[in-house]
Amino acid sequence: MPRHRLTVLLLTCFSLVVFLSLSIPQAQAQLTSVDVPGATETDCNGINRAGTVVGFSVTNGINHGFVLANGNFKTINVPHATGTLAYGINDHKQIVGWFTDANFITHGFMLSGKTFTKIDPPGSTLTNAWTITNDGVIVGAYADSSGVLHGFILDSGTYTTVDVPHNGGLTELLGRNNKGQMVGIFFDANGVQHGYSFINGKFKQIDFPGSGVTAADRINDSGEIVGLYGASASGPFSGYTRIAGTYSSVMFPGSFETRVRGLNNAGTIVGRYTDADGVTIHGYMGTP
């Protein structure tokens, strides 16, 4: 697995068939496809309490962010960017994600109303902003000048770096709820990817039972966690939910792979799936 996850690619997917045992339930999901008109790929990444979804689509090889509210799509493009990806939205409709500039450098952004704000921790060479809470705290990941990936918290203009102790050169913060509980991914000393939670100042490793690699993408205010797991970083990949400590696998019906990217406090999940052909990618939303 590369040490640099440029934009969305490192964060992974995971295989259902190899690891799923009778002890791990398959979620009986009620999921609906989401496709931006004219796009060749649609990814749903975040959802707020009102059910507004953010994500990105690919059209003619270009990434465009989008907002989906009441069945209507609205495109998000950071001015002068060569590509825009939206990943998180709070209940005040503030949106975060990342964009690529004309020099092919990736920066985080926040969109509040009609105003874009660039997000770059000091000394960063790449920034991904993943989640924004209702009080405006943003979490994500950045690469330093040596290419090492760290998690970050941006609170009231102040950046704080977060690193899992004894990690193997990668820590990313992906999700934070309104109680300050956080989740993400890290590499161990052998370069194997695991999920983790960071609650009350304590790190706890998260691994889907029987999996080779795991990611913890989001956590809601009830402590429900969603993410991805698989045999290895090469996929194919499956999604999961963890509710009250119980893991359930999530697969879009008939899909080759499924990724769970986000959830809200009502338990609605969003993500993406790949058709049985292993090529075509759609977004989805629904309840597991």
Side-chain angles (χ1 to χ4, degrees), residues 90 121-122 166 241 259 275:
N90 65 14
H166 313 298
T241 64
R259 311 182 188 192
D275 281 351

Side-chain angles (χ1 to χ4, degrees), residues 61-82:
I62 305 298
N63 294 323
H64 303 274
F66 71 79
V67 178
L68 173 60
N70 301 317
N72 298 311
F73 288 97
K74 180 181 178 181
T75 300
I76 302 171
N77 286 316
V78 175
H80 312 299
T82 60

Side-chain angles (χ1 to χ4, degrees), residues 140-277:
Y142 74 95
D144 63 23
S145 59
S146 298
V148 177
L149 281 161
H150 310 269
F152 76 84
I153 303 168
L154 174 57
D155 187 358
S156 302
T158 299
Y159 289 93
T160 302
T161 295
V162 175
D163 285 308
V164 174
H166 313 298
N167 73 82
L170 181 146
T171 297
E172 299 191 41
L173 267 177
L174 307 182
R176 179 180 171 116
N177 64 18
N178 295 307
K179 297 179 179 180
Q181 300 169 327
M182 298 183 287
V183 294
I185 64 172
F186 75 98
F187 284 178
D188 65 21
N190 296 315
V192 177
Q193 180 178 294
H194 307 271
Y196 70 88
S197 62
F198 187 41
I199 298 173
N200 297 325
K202 296 182 179 180
F203 290 95
K204 185 175 182 180
Q205 186 169 310
I206 295 174
D207 291 302
F208 189 92
S211 65
V213 291
T214 299
D217 283 41
R218 307 292 172 128
I219 182 170
N220 68 11
D221 291 348
S222 298
E224 300 172 4
I225 295 171
V226 297
L228 313 167
Y229 74 94
S232 70
S234 60
F237 311 124
S238 304
Y240 73 86
T241 64
R242 195 184 80 172
I243 301 174
T246 299
Y247 290 88
S248 297
S249 182
V250 177
M251 286 291 284
F252 195 94
S255 65
F256 174 72
E257 75 165 39
T258 299
R259 311 182 188 192
V260 184
R261 288 296 194 197
L263 83 164
N264 62 14
N265 284 333
T268 304
I269 63 173
V270 296
R272 56 171 273 186
Y273 71 93
T274 307
D275 281 351
D277 61 14

Side-chain angles (χ1 to χ4, degrees), residues 43-48 51-56 64-69 72-78 84-99 107-119 128-139 152 154 218:
D43 292 58
C44 296
N45 298 320
I47 183 170
N48 68 7
T52 301
V53 177
V54 295
F56 71 91
H64 303 274
F66 71 79
V67 178
L68 173 60
N72 298 311
F73 288 97
K74 180 181 178 181
T75 300
I76 302 171
N77 286 316
V78 175
T84 301
L85 301 91
Y87 264 79
I89 182 170
N90 65 14
D91 294 337
H92 305 301
K93 300 180 182 179
Q94 295 174 307
I95 297 166
V96 294
W98 54 89
F99 70 96
H107 308 269
F109 75 84
M110 179 184 71
L111 174 61
S112 185
K114 296 182 180 180
T115 302
F116 286 95
T117 301
K118 188 165 68 172
I119 298 170
N128 296 158
W130 274 85
T131 296
I132 182 167
T133 63
N134 286 342
D135 55 1
V137 177
I138 297 169
V139 300
F152 76 84
L154 174 57
R218 307 292 172 128

